[in-house]
Amino acid sequence: MDEIDDDRRLGWRVPGWVPPDRPARAPIAGRYCRLEPLVPAHAGALHAANSDPARWDYLPYGPFVHGADYATWVADMAASPDPLFFTVFPGDAAPAGILSYLRIAPEAGTIEIGHINFAPALARTPAATEAMVLLIRAAFEAGYRRVEWKCNALNAPSRRAARRLGLVFEGVFRSAVISKGRNRDSAWYAAIDTDWPALSAAYDHWLDPSNFDASGRQRMRLGALTAPVRRAYPPPKDDEDP
């Protein structure tokens, strides 16, 4: 067999592959927000910002009625290397959300983004989008080959966010988890390194200040900018909101 036949039979070669480093517990700065490693001191502001119990519906923990309970959870998560949590600071404002890397596998070049919980004041803002972009960008620039996003298949806002970011739907894993005593089917999305140049350009275009008018309204939708990446793959028939 020739080399092409071997690639078809066994998968293409990845010459010179060097696993990336694990992500650092270090700040990441953006234009509209900055990400700081989660520390116990952030607990009070985060608990106040996320007081709506509905914000916890699709997370495997919470809601935390009492600030002390949330502070205990934050202290535990702040010490965790995986998931590795970051706090979102929009502009000069107080902490308004968290998100994390998880299932960090440098040997495979894969990493996931999850545990996203943004306060209502942060959600649907350029800072919220940039927070997710900062983690995606940092992962690819570090040398990861694949960035994953998994969510409850019933979580329509999370599925829309994944598509808007240009992540490709890869299917639903049925009965994947039992969360809070309920079945969870998990929807999988991902971007890979060959998607990254087009996604990076789309993110830069959308986040540029010129993309927003004087009232802060977007001129070009991010989903429209990232659509060519998603369209490069045959769309599964069941990538629909519940």
Side-chain angles (χ1 to χ4, degrees), residues 55-111:
R55 311 298 293 182
W56 304 86
D57 280 353
Y58 294 109
L59 290 167
Y61 42 78
F64 297 92
V65 177
H66 303 292
D69 294 335
Y70 185 66
T72 297
W73 181 85
V74 167
D76 289 342
M77 293 302 101
S80 167
D82 187 352
L84 175 60
F85 275 88
F86 294 86
T87 302
V88 183
F89 288 78
D92 296 325
I98 58 173
L99 73 173
S100 79
Y101 286 128
L102 67 155
R103 296 186 178 89
I104 303 165
E107 68 282 359
T110 65
I111 194 167

Side-chain angles (χ1 to χ4, degrees), residues 180-197:
K180 296 179 177 175
R182 297 177 182 272
N183 176 69
R184 169 177 149 163
D185 296 346
S186 290
W188 285 43
Y189 296 80
I192 60 175
D193 51 3
T194 53
D195 302 330
W196 175 238

